[in-house]
Amino acid sequence: MVAIDASNVTKVYRRFSGRRQFATLKSALLRGTVLRDLHPAGTFAAVRNVSFKVPQGATYGIIGRNGSGKSTMLKLVAGITKPTEGTVTVKGRLSALIELGAGFHPEISGRENVFINGIMLGLTKREIARRFDEIVEFAELRDFIDAPVKTYSSGMYVRLGFAVAINVDPDVLLVDEVLAVGDEAFTHKCLDKFAEFRRRGKTILLVTHSLNLVERFCDDVLWLDGGTARGEGDPRRVVSEYIADVAKGEEKTLAAADGAVARVFQSRAEAPVGEGGRPAVDGAASDGAAAGGGEPPPDGFKAEEGRWGSREIEIAAVRIVDADGAPRHVFQSGDAAAVEMTVRAHSKVGPVVFGVSIFNADGVCCYGTNTSIEELPVPEFEGEQTVTFRIRSLDLVEGSYKLDVAAHREDGYAYDYHRLLYSFRVHSRTKDVGIFRPPHTWHFSKLKIEN
């Protein structure tokens, strides 16, 4: 038996131009400009030709980026808005927890709001009274149930809303991303309630950005992108496809940022060279990374992003690549990676030290090394060559990272230092914490558990 049936659903909204955002029917009538002022400047489809079926007793997830149509789809299923085209059919009593505080009147007490919400969800006053203590106990609001709802925190709002939504004993429960507001203990209580609903054969439609939650609880998942369905089916498969697509978007963003840095430094490389091989920089171009010819800071590890050095040896280009040598900015933890530097010595210079450091988003140095530390002497050279720093396994936890790359003398005199100018990201399905993920296994002397 199908509990939710959405067939070829499209929802179109009207878009009004900014100059008429305060136009009202009254003002338009007084000016005699009803047709002009209240005519939409255009339309956009929040959901386009989406179809799916949710069997009775199933838990169905909807995932996607912000603005992909997830909440609109949930409101269509809840009956809050009607589809422009197509049909949505729901069988059984429906309860929806869609927005923080939706259906609550801020001026009246939590007690009165419980009764009003319960009646709106189809219960009688007697049924609500019978379940009232259970609702208040679940929401953990016994000391505040008679206070006006406007005095509640966001966490109190969501606890009361969720408690009402689940205790009306619905056949179909719709939940949007409101659980993110609750604390850890309440979130676990909600997840336990989801599990109980599943055991009782209730239908749950869940919209969330928590991909782990989708994989853990959902039988099937729908991926929406720009209002259209991009994938549907097994949660692990669809979530993996979604993560890969998100990574592609991140790749484009980070590549564009690095491309902008490269263009700035290319323009600086073509500038006239002053004394000591230092570019002749005019005052307008001598700020931060764009100038790249300033004096080195007292402590390079505490400096803001930028570039400095004499340029007797120049790092002309920096590329982050994968195991196949293709440019890449988004990796999975454990992937192979490499940093390629195109270096250019304008005359015979040396010996020289090349270094690479990795910093996380907090500015903490995750790892740093150079050819001197590793006792790899680099003799003097002239001309252009490629220096490659290979990482067999990028064992970092999930997060955003930046690179320092440098060419300098043994005494620290900088030929060319690039500070925090190149970004990459590491993704992982394991949500561990810290910085470094060492290769490891778990072992139990008296338990047989596969790791």
Side-chain angles (χ1 to χ4, degrees), residues 337-396:
V339 180
E340 293 182 351
M341 294 175 277
T342 300
V343 299
R344 186 180 301 129
H346 300 288
S347 60
K348 187 169 284 191
V349 182
V352 60
V353 176
F354 291 101
V356 173
S357 295
I358 301 173
F359 293 80
N360 67 5
D362 297 323
V364 176
C365 182
C366 307
Y367 180 73
T369 189
N370 62 42
T371 54
S372 177
I373 291 172
E374 300 192 19
E375 299 181 352
L376 184 67
V378 181
E380 64 179 11
F381 71 96
E382 184 178 5
E384 185 173 295
Q385 63 174 306
T386 300
V387 178
T388 303
F389 175 71
R390 298 191 186 281
I391 304 171
R392 292 189 184 89
S393 181
L394 197 60
D395 293 321
L396 298 170

Side-chain angles (χ1 to χ4, degrees), residues 293-314:
E295 294 298 326
D299 186 345
F301 269 25
K302 294 181 180 179
E304 299 295 327
E305 64 179 37
R307 184 183 186 185
W308 59 85
S310 68
R311 308 287 187 87
E312 294 162 79
I313 296 177
E314 182 181 5

Side-chain angles (χ1 to χ4, degrees), residues 162-191:
F162 191 85
V164 173
I166 63 173
N167 281 289
V168 299
D169 196 26
D171 299 305
V172 178
L173 177 65
L174 311 181
V175 183
D176 205 344
E177 190 68 81
V178 292
L179 293 185
V181 180
D183 59 23
E184 191 73 13
F186 184 74
T187 299
H188 284 305
K189 186 188 288 190
C190 295
L191 297 180

Side-chain angles (χ1 to χ4, degrees), residues 239-286:
V239 166
S240 294
E241 292 173 355
Y242 171 63
I243 290 174
D245 188 73
V246 170
K248 287 180 182 177
E250 291 178 329
E251 180 71 41
K252 290 180 181 178
T253 301
L254 293 172
D258 277 4
V261 170
R263 286 192 295 274
V264 168
F265 288 163
Q266 181 62 32
S267 67
R268 298 305 309 140
E270 295 170 355
V273 178
E275 293 182 7
R278 187 187 303 275
V281 182
D282 59 27
S286 59

Side-chain angles (χ1 to χ4, degrees), residues 146-164:
D146 291 310
V149 166
K150 68 180 181 181
T151 65
Y152 285 10
S153 67
S154 58
M156 295 164 76
Y157 256 113
V158 75
R159 293 205 304 272
L160 187 60
F162 191 85
V164 173

